[in-house]
């Protein structure tokens, strides 16, 4: 069964608009972590944001926030005031299990975000 | 602080050849992982390590070996290269000290003919 699902293969958004990238996950472990990464056309993987399963508040990092809905098993990435430089592939990922699984992080298939000027 | 480094950046192999992809990190991270990314797809976990001397298989381990004799280094060995192993390989290191983060190396592009 797929553990991480990103249902939007591609999205187009107007510059300066907010955008939400969807991610749902599947786990029965009460301890897990959720990550978002950005991969621009240059190919490097850039860590954006992290949310732990026990964190009470939604994670925020500058223009990025993670809308964590535990009961629905969703961890959507919200980018406020999008910029042309936000055009990239975005991957959702999950660590299933406690910190001893910190190197066993699995990825979704990604969403390609394109920002229109 | 170089972060995560990978060598080589690009490699061409013939079917049946073996090689080692190098990965090193200077952040004293406990955890390290190897992923492959095929065109237009996400990353798939090959092998991972939770510390020196401890490794385990990920989602797609067949055809690859790893070892971790030091905290810093985590080489990936292709035993007998096949065209299906043509991919971009990423090494990553992570820590749970403070906020949990995972850092990636720049990747190695491998072409198997």
């Amino acid at each position: 069964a797929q553990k991480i699902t990103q249902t939007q293969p591609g999205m187009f958004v107007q510059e300066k608009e907010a955008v939400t990238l969807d991610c749902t996950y599947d786990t029965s472990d009460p301890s897990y972590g959720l990550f978002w990464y950005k991969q621009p056309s240059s190919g490097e993987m850039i860590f954006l944001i992290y949310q732990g399963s026990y964190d009470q508040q939604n994670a925020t990092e500058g223009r990025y926030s993670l809308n964590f809905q535990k009961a629905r098993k969703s961890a959507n990435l919200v980018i406020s005031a999008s910029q042309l430089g936000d055009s990239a592939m975005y991957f959702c990922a999950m660590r299933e299990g406690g910190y001893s699984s910190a190197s066993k992080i699995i990825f979704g298939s990604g969403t390609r975000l394109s920002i229109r000027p | 602080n170089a972060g995560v480094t990978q060598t080589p950046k690009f490699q061409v192999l013939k079917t049946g050849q073996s090689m080692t992809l190098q990965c090193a990190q200077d952040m004293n991270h406990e955890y390290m992982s190897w992923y492959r990314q095929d065109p237009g797809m996400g990353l798939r976990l090959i092998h991972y390590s939770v510390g020196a001397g401890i490794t385990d298989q990920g989602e797609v381990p067949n055809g690859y070996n790893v070892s971790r004799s030091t905290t810093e280094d985590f080489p990936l060995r292709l035993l007998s290269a096949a065209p299906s192993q043509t991919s971009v390989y990423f090494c990553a290191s992570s820590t749970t000290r403070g906020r949990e983060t995972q850092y990636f190396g720049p990747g190695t592009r491998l072409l198997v003919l």
Side-chain angles (χ1 to χ4, degrees), chain A residues 35 37 39 43-45 47 50 61 89 91 95 99-109, chain B residues 31-33 35 37 40-43 45 48-50 57 59 90 94 96 99-102 104:
Chain A
F35 304 77
Y37 295 86
Q39 187 177 42
E44 73 264 36
M45 293 291 290
F47 166 81
Y50 166 79
E61 294 281 351
M89 278 291 282
F91 293 101
R95 165 190 48 82
Y99 285 152
S100 62
S101 302
S103 50
K104 190 179 179 185
I105 298 172
I106 57 173
F107 282 72
S109 55
Chain B
Y31 309 103
M32 296 186 77
S33 313
Y35 295 87
Q37 185 179 28
M41 296 181 66
L43 279 71
L45 182 64
Y48 63 99
S49 169
V50 301
Q57 296 181 350
E59 303 168 277
F90 288 99
S94 51
T96 56
R99 187 191 64 175
E100 186 170 346
T101 50
Q102 187 183 40
F104 281 82

Side-chain angles (χ1 to χ4, degrees), chain A residues 52-73:
Chain A
S53 60
Y54 295 118
D55 293 343
Q56 296 296 314
Q57 309 254 14
N58 285 346
T60 60
E61 294 281 351
R63 292 188 300 114
Y64 304 107
S65 60
L66 199 153
N67 185 0
F68 181 45
Q69 298 189 36
K70 199 168 182 176
R72 296 180 59 188
K73 294 188 176 178

Side-chain angles (χ1 to χ4, degrees), chain B residues 59-78:
Chain B
E59 303 168 277
V60 288
N62 291 342
Y64 308 95
N65 271 354
V66 292
S67 60
R68 190 151 177 223
S69 54
T70 67
T71 300
E72 295 78 20
D73 300 299
F74 191 42
L76 177 74
R77 281 183 290 277
L78 278 71

Side-chain angles (χ1 to χ4, degrees), chain A residues 8 11 17-23 36 48-49 58-69 75-82 86 90 113:
Chain A
Q8 307 154 306
M11 286 185 70
E17 288 183 350
V19 57
T20 298
L21 304 181
D22 295 340
C23 174
W36 277 92
L48 294 178
I49 198 166
N58 285 346
T60 60
E61 294 281 351
R63 292 188 300 114
Y64 304 107
S65 60
L66 199 153
N67 185 0
F68 181 45
Q69 298 189 36
N76 298 340
L77 177 71
V78 180
I79 307 174
S80 63
S82 57
D86 293 333
Y90 288 81
L113 177 64

Side-chain angles (χ1 to χ4, degrees), chain A residues 3 25-32 34 73 94-97:
Chain A
K3 297 278 190 177
Y25 59 92
D26 182 27
T27 181
S28 57
D29 199 308
S31 177
Y32 54 91
L34 297 155
K73 294 188 176 178
M94 178 176 71
R95 165 190 48 82
E96 185 177 32

